[in-house]
Amino acid sequence: MSQPVQTPATFPTRIFSGIQPSGGLTLGNYLGALKRFVEKQDEGIETIYCLVDMHAITVWQDPAKLRQQTREAAAGFIAAGIDPARSVLFNQSQVTAHVELGWIFNCVARMGWMSRMTQFKDKAGKNSENVSLGLYAYPALMAADILAYKATHVPVGEDQKQHLELCRDIAIKFNNDYGVNFFPVVEPVIEGAATRVMSLRDGTMKMSKSDPSDQSRINLTDDADTIAKKIRKAKTDADPLPDSVDGLKDRPEARNLVNIYAALAGQTPAEVIAEHQGAQFGTFKPALADLAVAKLSPITSEMTRLMQDPAEIDRILGAGADRAEAIARPIVDQVYDIIGMIRSRRG
Ligand code: AQP
């Protein structure tokens, strides 16, 4: 019954990625994901970007805040360079194909696979009996988000690598179980100097929008003073910057700031080190703060401007959802046929 699985090369290149509107966008989301999203769009590839609000509710969200955060994230995407005419930009809950395929994938994915997901273990911590079932099933819905479009490439930060491996496993198992070559085996696209931006408070923890400490992250809504203050107060060690990237090996906080600088400046970490070797943090941090403000302030002001017209943001998301639906619906309808569901409604 099993047949060889198609490789991505046999499917047209299509990019899909998403961000949860579970808080304000952070510098981690920007450097690890959003900046890459814009680059892919500007390379002329077909790009579909989604605010994954159904993922956000795997942890309780205040409804009014969720709406606000979704609009704010959409404004962040557009302010960062996503053009809703060139990319499909929408919020997940407006296209029901995602949850329909998500359920089917719940029935394809194996408990053993899900139990190995480190992000679930990190997020659930010692409280795993009390977190939502949705948080556990989240990676199957993420696979559906991607495969509802037969996307071939997914730009993400390093933390999503394991979820994308699971997405590949689901595609392969579905293809094998039903004897079809239907879903592509997606390629993660994890690129750039800051694929894992760390907390400003602890260089061993990921910068995250849901970290209880606002000092741990830079938000895309932070003003210039706040950005400069947060960088000045970022945890570091007492040594100057080394003369090679290897010298950052056991210095997670120093490495993080160098990587952030590199990603913002469009340089490699080695180039940053070559320019700043021997510098104390008293000198490097103000240089980083100036760079961060120069790069982020135009995005923040544009977000603020866009947020003055929430109806226009909703209109853009609705139009994007119509375009997304037109791609995903026929794909999910074919899945129903493949798995043996009767589809006999008229109209
Ligand atoms: N610190 C980070 N460094 C690099 N990339 C990151 N991403 C997130 N944090 C970093 C990338 O941003 C995209 C969207 O992630 P998400 O919001 O859907 O979920 P997440 O990875 O769980 O991000 P957060 O900020 O930690 O959200 P919460 O706190 O709600 O769980 C992904 O491509 C991710 O890799």
Side-chain angles (χ1 to χ4, degrees):
M1 162 123 147
S2 67
Q3 290 185 9
V5 172
Q6 278 179 313
T7 61
T10 62
F11 287 83
T13 302
R14 180 179 277 163
I15 298 254
F16 176 94
S17 200
I19 293 190
Q20 297 185 66
S22 48
L25 296 179
T26 69
L27 181 66
N29 295 133
Y30 176 64
L31 294 177
L34 193 44
K35 196 162 177 285
R36 303 266 91 75
F37 297 175
V38 177
E39 287 163 6
K40 296 295 163 201
Q41 167 194 273
D42 293 348
E43 284 169 25
I45 302 168
E46 184 183 8
T47 42
I48 303 173
Y49 296 128
C50 185
L51 303 164
V52 286
D53 46 11
M54 300 296 265
H55 285 278
I57 60 161
T58 55
V59 174
W60 190 80
Q61 303 289 330
D62 176 88
K65 274 197 192 156
L66 180 59
R67 259 189 290 275
Q68 160 82 8
Q69 285 160 192
T70 306
R71 290 185 183 123
E72 199 177 88
F77 272 55
I78 298 166
I82 296 299
D83 172 359
R86 284 189 288 154
S87 291
V88 177
L89 175 64
F90 68 107
N91 58 311
Q92 184 188 24
S93 59
Q94 296 210 67
V95 181
T96 55
H98 292 240
V99 285
E100 293 171 49
L101 190 58
W103 177 258
I104 294 166
F105 286 170
N106 281 347
C107 303
V108 173
R110 305 289 93 184
M111 289 291 283
W113 301 355
M114 307 303 276
S115 303
R116 283 194 284 276
M117 294 297 112
T118 54
Q119 195 180 77
F120 175 77
K121 289 184 203 162
D122 291 346
K123 286 196 174 175
K126 293 197 178 80
N127 199 24
S128 64
E129 290 291 308
N130 249 332
V131 295
S132 74
L133 180 57
L135 191 67
Y136 188 72
Y138 166 123
L141 179 57
M142 179 170 156
D145 299 334
I146 297 162
L147 295 175
Y149 301 90
K150 294 194 178 180
T152 54
H153 294 77
V154 186
V156 283
E158 178 73 37
D159 62 312
Q160 291 296 332
K161 198 169 171 209
Q162 195 186 31
H163 289 165
L164 286 181
E165 277 158 16
L166 187 110
C167 175
R168 292 165 65 94
D169 289 343
I170 288 176
I172 291 168
K173 182 159 166 49
F174 181 94
N175 288 344
N176 285 339
D177 282 356
Y178 292 100
V180 289
N181 284 328
F182 189 72
F183 285 123
V185 181
V186 298
E187 287 294 334
V189 182
I190 302 174
E191 292 170 341
T195 55
R196 193 172 177 82
V197 178
M198 309 310 278
S199 157
L200 299 178
R201 284 278 160 113
D202 176 350
T204 64
M205 301 266 296
K206 189 184 81 156
M207 182 181 285
S208 182
K209 51 176 118 64
S210 59
D211 190 313
S213 164
D214 191 58
Q215 296 301 314
S216 69
R217 63 179 161 263
I218 290 171
N219 305 298
L220 288 196
T221 48
D222 285 343
D223 61 24
D225 274 359
T226 311
I227 294 174
K229 243 182 242 155
K230 285 180 177 176
I231 291 178
R232 255 203 327 273
K233 285 194 175 162
K235 184 179 166 198
T236 41
D237 52 45
D239 295 335
L241 285 180
D243 58 9
S244 75
V245 173
D246 282 351
L248 294 169
K249 203 165 134 272
D250 297 316
R251 300 176 61 189
E253 283 84 15
R255 189 176 58 221
N256 189 34
L257 295 190
V258 168
N259 286 349
I260 292 173
Y261 191 107
L264 286 170
Q267 294 180 313
T268 63
E271 286 166 341
V272 177
I273 288 292
E275 262 174 45
H276 296 271
Q277 58 175 289
Q280 298 288 345
F281 283 106
T283 313
F284 185 68
K285 281 179 171 178
L288 175 57
D290 286 350
L291 176 64
V293 168
K295 296 286 178 184
L296 301 180
S297 286
I299 300 176
T300 311
S301 349
E302 180 60 3
M303 271 173 85
T304 311
R305 193 189 69 75
L306 291 165
M307 281 301 284
Q308 282 163 7
D309 191 354
E312 174 59 9
I313 295 178
D314 292 2
R315 191 199 62 74
I316 290 170
L317 292 175
D322 285 342
R323 289 169 64 199
E325 168 85 17
I327 303 169
R329 178 48 49 198
I331 293 175
V332 173
D333 280 348
Q334 275 176 284
V335 172
Y336 283 126
D337 280 342
I338 290 170
I339 67 175
M341 302 288 181
I342 292 173
R343 312 286 288 162
S344 55
R345 282 178 61 185
R346 286 180 294 156

